[in-house]
Amino acid sequence: MNKKIEELCNRQIEREGYSSNLYLAMASWAENNGYPGFASWLYSQSEEEKEHMLKFIRYINERGGKAQIPAFKKPPADFKNIKDLFNEVLKHEKFITASINEIFDATLSEKDYSTSNFLQWFLAEQVEEEASVHNIIDKLNMMPANNIYPLDKEIMTLRSKK
Ligand code: OFO
């Protein structure tokens, strides 16, 4: 496997794993702060991020590279409020999108078209994830801050449609 692409994919293992831990920390905060619906959405998001990390691990190994399992930075344990938390989710997803785009760019300049093809799934996934977080933020902005409970209930059924 092309060394530069292998390094970037290994870096992405850490980023996807951190995403999983970050959403786990957020889910736990939401659970402790009376938002079972948001907590459930975030727990399932955390699972998805773990799957993304596994996709990179398996892909690197399948291509003859060596997947590295990194140490992860501790995610924050406290959040100002639920709106702030989801703004953080969106910010993080934009960071992940930029990171995937960067690897995609590198695969084109390195002519590693198999990895470009592998990354197509992630490019589409990021569009979907950003849209679904935008949707939650829009709804949160429409609710009075002291009456988020109906939205929390709705989110319980909304979650990811995947
Ligand atoms: Fe939500 O980020 Fe993974 O890919």
Side-chain angles (χ1 to χ4, degrees):
M1 181 175 192
N2 175 301
K3 278 293 150 202
K4 181 171 177 194
I5 303 301
E6 182 178 348
E7 268 166 36
L8 287 170
C9 286
N10 265 309
R11 187 186 72 178
Q12 197 62 26
I13 291 177
E14 192 279 331
R15 292 183 173 178
E16 299 292 343
Y18 178 76
S19 306
S20 177
N21 288 346
L22 175 64
Y23 298 156
L24 204 53
M26 288 174 163
S28 177
W29 180 91
E31 195 162 61
N32 281 331
N33 284 273
Y35 300 117
F38 292 119
S40 138
W41 190 93
L42 288 158
Y43 277 129
S44 84
Q45 214 48 40
S46 168
E47 283 301 310
E48 286 192 14
E49 298 300 349
K50 187 179 172 196
E51 279 301 315
H52 298 171
M53 176 178 68
L54 288 172
K55 276 185 197 282
F56 274 97
I57 293 174
R58 293 197 187 111
Y59 179 74
I60 295 170
N61 289 338
E62 193 179 285
R63 297 293 308 285
K66 193 163 191 275
Q68 312 280 344
I69 310 305
F72 297 104
K73 187 174 82 189
K74 189 178 187 302
D78 283 308
F79 303 89
K80 221 172 13 175
N81 55 49
I82 197 73
K83 272 192 201 178
D84 236 63
L85 183 151
F86 274 96
N87 282 324
E88 285 301 314
V89 173
L90 184 60
K91 198 167 119 197
H92 186 72
E93 285 304 323
K94 287 185 171 170
F95 165 72
I96 295 293
T97 300
S99 181
I100 300 283
N101 287 344
E102 190 190 335
I103 312 175
F104 190 80
D105 260 1
T107 61
L108 298 183
S109 46
E110 297 290 316
K111 298 191 173 14
D112 180 352
Y113 301 121
S114 312
T115 306
S116 318
N117 186 49
F118 164 74
L119 291 172
Q120 295 285 351
W121 183 90
F122 284 90
L123 292 173
E125 176 73 5
Q126 283 310 115
V127 170
E128 210 180 294
E129 289 195 343
E130 282 192 28
S132 103
V133 180
H134 262 299
N135 185 23
I136 293 177
I137 292 175
D138 285 347
K139 286 179 188 232
L140 276 168
N141 284 335
M142 285 189 292
M143 311 289 293
N146 60 354
N147 192 19
I148 303 284
Y149 182 69
L151 179 59
D152 184 68
K153 252 184 130 177
E154 183 190 327
I155 294 295
M156 188 70 111
T157 50
L158 194 136
R159 288 209 245 167
S160 352
K161 296 147 265 161
K162 289 160 269 166

